[in-house]
Amino acid sequence: MKKSVFIGTLAAVSVTAGMAAASTLDDVKAAGELKCGVSTGLVGFAAADANGVYHGFDVAVCRAVAAAVLGDGDKVKFVPTTGKTRFTALASGEVDMLARNTTWTFSRDVDLKFEFIGVNYYDGQGFMVPKALGVASAKDLDGATVCIQTGTTTELNLADYFRSNNISYEPVPIETNAEGQAQYLSGACDVYTTDASGLAATRATFEKPDDHVVLPEIISKEPLGPLVRHGDNQWGDIIRWTLNALITAEELGVTSANIDKMSMEAGNNPEINRLLGTEGDLGGMLGLDKEWAKRAVAQSGNYGEIFDSNIGEGSPVGIARGLNASWTDGGLLYTPPFR
Amino acid sequence: MSATAEPEKGGFRLSQLIYDTRYRSMTIQIIALIGFLLSVGWLIRNAGQNLAELGKPLGFGFLTEQAGYDINQRLIEYNSQMTHGRAAVIGLLNTLLVAFLGCITATVIGVSIGVLRLSKNWIVSRLMTLYIEMFRNVPVLLWIIITMAIFIEVFPQPRDFRGEDAIATMKLFDSIAITNRGILIPALAYGPGIVLVFITFVLSLIGIVFFRRYAKKLQEETGKILPSGLISTGIFFVPTLVVFFAATMINLNKEHVVFGAKTLTLNADNSISADSGIRFCDTGGAGNVNAKNLMRANGIKFKSVPSYDLADSLTRMSSGNTRTGCDIATVPSGTALPEGLFVSEGISLYSGRPIELEKPYLSGFNFTDGVLMRNSLIALWFALSLYTAAFIAETVRSGIQAVSKGQTEAAGALGLRPGRITSLVVLPQALRVIIPPMISQYLNLTKNSSLAIAVGYMDITGTLGGITLNQTGREMESLIILMAIYLAISLTISTIMNQYNERVKLRER
């Protein structure tokens, strides 16, 4: 087995070299589909339904990019990746972009040679415990058994947090969210830790969500965002500005409901006009057509709509906007202008 | 034939390499070899070049960087501040541990099953067949996962042990706790005199060997049979126990006392009390176990703070740190104490025994004290053993069947009982057939242990090939090291087993 992995790695690296010459945009257009790395199943962010169709907050970003580039948001091949395989998948060219609750960190950006193109969710690592334990704060967790997904920043944050608070813990490494749930629910670990959004999503799938609480401590900054490989700036720009288009659309009040009307002819707001392609040619600068952003927003709505339908308070996951509100509403979402 | 034509003595021509059958096969082989080496070279060069283009030239410097993550099962000292290299060693030790345990149990189970499969009892032999077919024909990964799933669901969680009418109780005089996080067994804590007890024990073992030799010699020379089982048992237990009790008596002359900035208070009704939340400097000796048992028996809630030795305890007492500091410790009476520390008067806690059992004790979220055999280790060990045992059983069966039936019948004719026929005649001959395939079963088990991450066991694949690879992004380097390590382990195992094979194989003169 080891040997096949090794040769596979060799082969994958050799393939990358062949691809590095052509631009990712051309490759995607030639293939007629966008290969998008998503998580193996996290309700609200990326999960396949009974028919095998992917839905979720991260999935919507992939679809928006596919709509902008290929004109059809369904032309996406979703590649499920685990916390361990995601970077290899991206680096080897197995996927064109990664939208998988991935934390933007210095070493990933610089050392692993990836380009984070923005933040689509401001998150932080939290703890979930059964209510029956009567724990009110993470500082009471001395001696607890903690389930962590391996291959994430989570385990490093956890080690740092417990060390700086001088309390001990027993880490239980697990591979996937599903395994983590099984261990947590059977009591093989006291605490389940991952990003607070992931905890909320996981809790939503429990039979009795109210028996579990997410502790108030958020022990890390986890800006989650899509990422691409270093070296293809045009491709990076396309994804960065597709995400920005979704966020700006919300700020400007462009929704999936009114976008058709708004894009019929140039209106009074020049920024909306530039965004929707009725004025200027921002799309041409990206190597796309004029209506790229219109299609991206029309696909599953603006950022606010995507948030509400997948993970917002109306959905089973039930996360409040909090830091993820537009800057005009006191949140952190603030995009550079479209001009 | 007298007129054999002499071969033509012409010079070597290049075309002979292809047209002459003497050289042709060699030519083809050399060309194939060159082709193979070229393609390997191309693959390596290409990979190196592409890695360099990606800005990740091959380098092993990451092994000396700080790891930053914790590992639950550590056979040697490790914390998140240590290096990736150290983490890899921890993983390696875990791999070796599970492989070692697995090989032993797989052999024991496999040999028994293999012998039983040939049993004349119809039910027994069919049951064994069922076992072998079931384990042999399902992938080992599934066995590992199902073992873990059963383990987690069947056994109680630690908090089920709590309360007046607890769902679960500890087994064997409250010394073993079986939880779904693992099985806790008592740890051994040592006191003064343990070295003497240990030496006596080793000497008794040597004594038993010598006695057995003597008994055998006596039997061969005079035909007299000594009751060797009884005497061996006697030598095994008596001297060690005598030294043990002697050491206990001597130890009791020198009492251990509790001292510290705070003290335990002896009440009028002989019960003992202390401030709640008192912190105990736990250096792990037998005297400490006595102290902890005493406090628990009196319902004193205390926090155990690990400490290395007396000097460390004293530093911790004076540090005033709320987390790492401690309040009381034990010490042999008569030890000079610094100012401001008091001995708890009238409290006798010392049993004097050179070995104490430190039983697991439920406190907080988990059991403390004792030795925790984690669920991941047990599940992996169990699944690997049962799986490999099925293959070993088949090997053993084929080995036994390879021994000619005439051997058994001849032994029977000499009047040997069936048990002795198996152990004296059949098995020694079967062993020669069994050993070589056994080597590859051991290798399989060791390599299969790399599936450990499925149950969260931190073996070398989990540390170096998992978290380290992921955090540093050094796939190529990690996998190269990983391959080299598995190769080294496998070659070591086969070397050892081959030497053993040399010793037992048939010697022809």
Side-chain angles (χ1 to χ4, degrees):
Chain A
M1 194 199 105
K2 293 278 106 40
K3 195 162 190 177
S4 68
V5 171
F6 177 64
I7 291 180
T9 316
L10 281 172
V13 173
S14 331
V15 169
T16 335
M19 285 174 52
S23 84
T24 315
L25 178 61
D26 294 338
D27 288 341
V28 170
K29 279 183 174 165
E33 66 172 7
L34 170 76
K35 294 190 292 291
C36 193
V38 291
S39 92
T40 47
L42 184 60
V43 172
F45 285 87
D49 64 13
N51 301 321
V53 180
Y54 274 86
H55 295 286
F57 186 71
D58 285 330
V59 167
V61 177
C62 300
R63 291 199 190 280
V65 173
V69 175
L70 299 168
D72 184 351
D74 291 331
K75 286 187 177 163
V76 188
K77 184 183 169 205
F78 291 101
V79 181
T81 55
T82 66
K84 274 169 71 172
T85 60
R86 54 183 165 183
F87 296 125
T88 321
L90 182 61
S92 67
E94 196 186 321
V95 296
D96 302 314
M97 62 177 282
L98 197 61
R100 193 208 170 275
N101 321 76
T102 303
T103 307
W104 186 349
T105 67
F106 181 93
S107 62
R108 283 173 177 179
D109 197 338
V110 178
D111 193 32
L112 295 190
K113 312 283 179 204
F114 293 127
E115 187 178 356
F116 283 83
I117 56 89
V119 175
N120 71 337
Y121 190 92
Y122 288 93
D123 208 344
Q125 184 176 346
F127 299 100
M128 176 163 64
V129 293
K131 256 187 196 154
L133 282 183
V135 174
S137 153
K139 298 214 166 79
D140 300 339
L141 291 176
D142 191 12
T145 303
V146 184
C147 274
I148 342 154
Q149 273 196 51
T150 65
T152 55
T153 40
T154 320
E155 54 205 345
L156 305 187
N157 295 332
L158 189 73
D160 285 351
Y161 181 79
F162 276 79
R163 191 167 60 91
S164 62
N165 283 295
N166 233 318
I167 46 183
S168 63
Y169 72 107
E170 156 102 8
V172 175
I174 47 158
E175 274 271 73
T176 64
N177 195 37
E179 269 173 56
Q181 277 186 41
Q183 295 234 10
Y184 172 74
L185 287 177
S186 64
C189 38
D190 300 301
V191 189
Y192 187 33
T193 180
T194 183
D195 296 342
S197 62
L199 289 179
T202 306
R203 199 175 74 123
T205 63
F206 287 174
E207 208 173 321
K208 291 181 189 159
D210 293 338
D211 288 356
H212 304 271
V213 292
V214 176
L215 296 178
E217 280 91 349
I218 296 291
I219 63 167
S220 66
K221 287 194 288 188
E222 306 282 344
L224 309 182
L227 58 154
V228 296
R229 286 180 292 277
H230 256 192
D232 189 345
N233 292 9
Q234 183 197 17
W235 180 244
D237 285 343
I238 289 174
I239 298 175
R240 173 177 300 114
W241 286 96
T242 306
L243 178 63
N244 286 345
L246 298 179
I247 297 170
T248 306
E250 187 192 13
E251 195 182 311
L252 299 174
V254 180
T255 67
S256 55
N258 64 17
I259 192 165
D260 281 333
K261 203 165 137 245
M262 281 182 151
S263 59
M264 296 266 248
E265 52 187 333
N268 297 329
N269 187 333
E271 181 138 27
I272 294 180
N273 296 344
R274 285 192 295 268
L275 177 69
L276 299 180
T278 50
E279 200 179 299
D281 185 17
L282 294 184
M285 298 178 199
L286 274 179
L288 300 172
D289 60 52
K290 278 187 175 184
E291 295 197 322
W292 65 282
K294 181 202 154 191
R295 287 195 305 272
V297 176
Q299 178 59 36
S300 20
N302 62 32
Y303 182 89
E305 289 174 273
I306 294 172
F307 193 102
D308 290 340
S309 62
N310 289 305
I311 53 175
E313 279 173 328
S315 72
V317 180
I319 301 175
R321 281 300 283 271
L323 291 177
N324 295 297
S326 175
W327 65 284
T328 49
D329 299 329
L332 290 179
L333 296 179
Y334 182 101
T335 65
F338 275 73
R339 62 166 66 249
Chain B
M1 291 258 240
S2 57
T4 312
E6 281 290 310
E8 199 185 328
K9 292 242 174 174
F12 176 79
R13 289 190 308 279
L14 217 54
S15 61
Q16 273 182 315
L17 285 179
I18 298 171
Y19 296 115
D20 191 327
T21 46
R22 282 176 300 175
Y23 303 116
R24 190 191 295 151
S25 63
M26 212 179 303
T27 317
I28 294 174
Q29 286 184 45
I30 286 174
I31 291 175
L33 183 68
I34 292 174
F36 175 73
L37 288 179
L38 276 179
S39 56
V40 168
W42 175 81
L43 214 56
I44 291 174
R45 204 185 75 95
N46 200 12
Q49 202 174 355
N50 289 327
L51 280 174
E53 256 170 46
L54 279 173
K56 297 203 289 189
L58 219 56
F60 294 91
F62 70 97
L63 287 175
T64 57
E65 284 165 22
Q66 195 191 78
Y69 60 92
D70 287 301
I71 299 174
N72 48 14
Q73 179 178 302
R74 313 173 282 266
L75 296 184
I76 54 172
E77 177 84 14
Y78 171 81
N79 62 48
S80 62
Q81 302 306 99
M82 292 182 178
T83 63
H84 282 296
R86 181 83 171 184
V89 172
I90 302 285
L92 175 61
L93 289 176
N94 287 345
T95 295
L96 291 176
L97 174 72
V98 77
F100 179 71
L101 292 175
C103 286
I104 291 174
T105 41
T107 312
V108 172
I109 301 172
V111 170
S112 331
I113 303 262
V115 171
L116 286 179
R117 197 179 171 189
L118 293 170
S119 161
K120 292 199 178 67
N121 185 321
W122 190 83
I123 296 181
V124 171
S125 70
R126 283 313 116 114
L127 276 178
M128 295 308 131
T129 311
L130 182 74
Y131 168 89
I132 290 172
E133 295 305 332
M134 238 174 66
F135 275 91
R136 221 164 46 142
N137 294 310
V138 175
V140 64
L141 180 61
L142 292 184
W143 282 118
I144 295 175
I145 292 176
I146 196 114
T147 319
M148 184 68 167
I150 292 173
F151 201 98
I152 287 178
E153 296 299 336
V154 167
F155 295 119
Q157 38 183 311
R159 68 185 97 120
D160 290 343
F161 288 79
R162 184 164 287 134
E164 284 298 307
D165 46 334
I167 310 167
T169 49
M170 290 169 71
K171 309 279 182 290
L172 210 74
F173 309 110
D174 277 354
S175 64
I176 294 177
I178 304 176
T179 77
N180 65 353
R181 291 177 194 174
I183 297 175
L184 288 117
I185 54 173
L188 295 176
Y190 305 114
I194 181 60
V195 179
L196 217 56
V197 174
F198 185 71
I199 291 174
T200 315
F201 183 67
V202 172
L203 286 178
S204 328
L205 289 184
I206 298 173
I208 290 175
V209 173
F210 274 104
F211 166 72
R212 294 227 149 190
R213 269 191 204 165
Y214 168 73
K216 201 172 176 189
K217 201 172 145 212
L218 194 70
Q219 189 185 349
E220 279 169 1
E221 282 173 0
T222 66
K224 200 177 155 202
I225 297 178
L226 293 173
S228 62
L230 195 69
I231 296 181
S232 299
T233 320
I235 302 178
F236 188 81
F237 285 111
V238 175
T240 311
L241 285 179
V242 167
V243 175
F244 180 86
F245 286 115
T248 308
M249 299 316 285
I250 295 167
N251 284 345
L252 277 179
N253 282 335
K254 199 162 194 186
E255 174 72 83
H256 271 223
V257 292
V258 175
F259 78 102
K262 295 181 179 176
T263 51
L264 303 178
T265 321
L266 183 65
N267 299 327
D269 59 348
N270 266 343
S271 71
I272 295 169
S273 59
D275 298 351
S276 74
I278 198 162
R279 294 164 306 168
F280 180 68
C281 317
D282 196 346
T283 48
N288 277 335
V289 174
N290 295 146
K292 284 195 282 191
N293 287 343
L294 183 78
M295 287 193 279
R296 279 169 189 160
N298 283 282
I300 299 173
K301 289 241 183 299
F302 66 94
K303 183 174 163 24
S304 204
V305 178
S307 150
Y308 296 112
D309 50 20
L310 181 63
D312 186 32
S313 300
L314 290 175
T315 329
R316 283 169 191 272
M317 278 184 199
S318 56
S319 75
N321 187 319
T322 49
R323 298 277 180 191
T324 58
C326 55
D327 305 316
I328 53 170
T330 64
V331 70
S333 60
T335 309
L337 294 175
E339 291 270 319
L341 300 177
F342 321 100
V343 170
S344 305
E345 289 301 332
I347 291 175
S348 165
L349 58 96
Y350 195 44
S351 73
R353 287 190 283 268
I355 306 176
E356 274 297 337
L357 282 186
E358 192 180 29
K359 293 179 182 173
Y361 182 82
L362 184 62
S363 97
F365 292 97
N366 280 311
F367 280 89
T368 56
D369 298 355
V371 177
L372 171 63
M373 296 166 71
R374 287 180 179 75
N375 52 9
S376 51
L377 169 67
I378 293 173
L380 185 69
W381 173 21
F382 200 66
L384 285 178
S385 308
L386 290 182
Y387 179 79
T388 315
F391 290 89
I392 292 180
E394 282 299 86
T395 310
V396 170
R397 183 177 68 107
S398 68
I400 291 175
Q401 284 181 333
V403 177
S404 145
K405 208 173 173 210
Q407 296 280 328
T408 320
E409 288 167 352
L414 283 176
L416 285 179
R417 274 171 283 145
R420 302 212 120 194
I421 295 178
T422 313
S423 63
L424 293 177
V425 178
V426 180
L427 278 183
Q429 297 187 69
L431 218 51
R432 294 174 185 137
V433 185
I434 294 173
I435 300 294
M438 201 81 125
I439 301 175
S440 57
Q441 293 311 333
Y442 289 157
L443 295 182
N444 276 344
L445 189 144
T446 310
K447 288 182 290 178
N448 283 341
S449 74
S450 63
L451 296 168
I453 193 64
V455 287
Y457 182 76
M458 293 306 273
D459 71 333
I460 181 94
T461 319
T463 56
L464 177 67
I467 304 180
T468 294
L469 182 152
N470 217 326
Q471 301 296 358
T472 59
R474 297 282 175 182
E475 298 92 356
M476 192 65 90
E477 294 86 340
S478 299
L479 285 176
I480 289 174
I481 301 176
L482 212 50
M483 282 171 61
I485 287 175
Y486 276 106
L487 190 66
I489 298 176
S490 296
L491 289 180
T492 313
I493 293 177
S494 39
T495 313
I496 294 172
M497 289 301 290
N498 277 327
Q499 274 175 4
Y500 180 66
N501 191 29
E502 282 299 311
R503 278 183 49 201
V504 299
K505 83 172 181 194
L506 193 62
R507 282 187 195 83
E508 288 170 356
R509 295 184 184 93

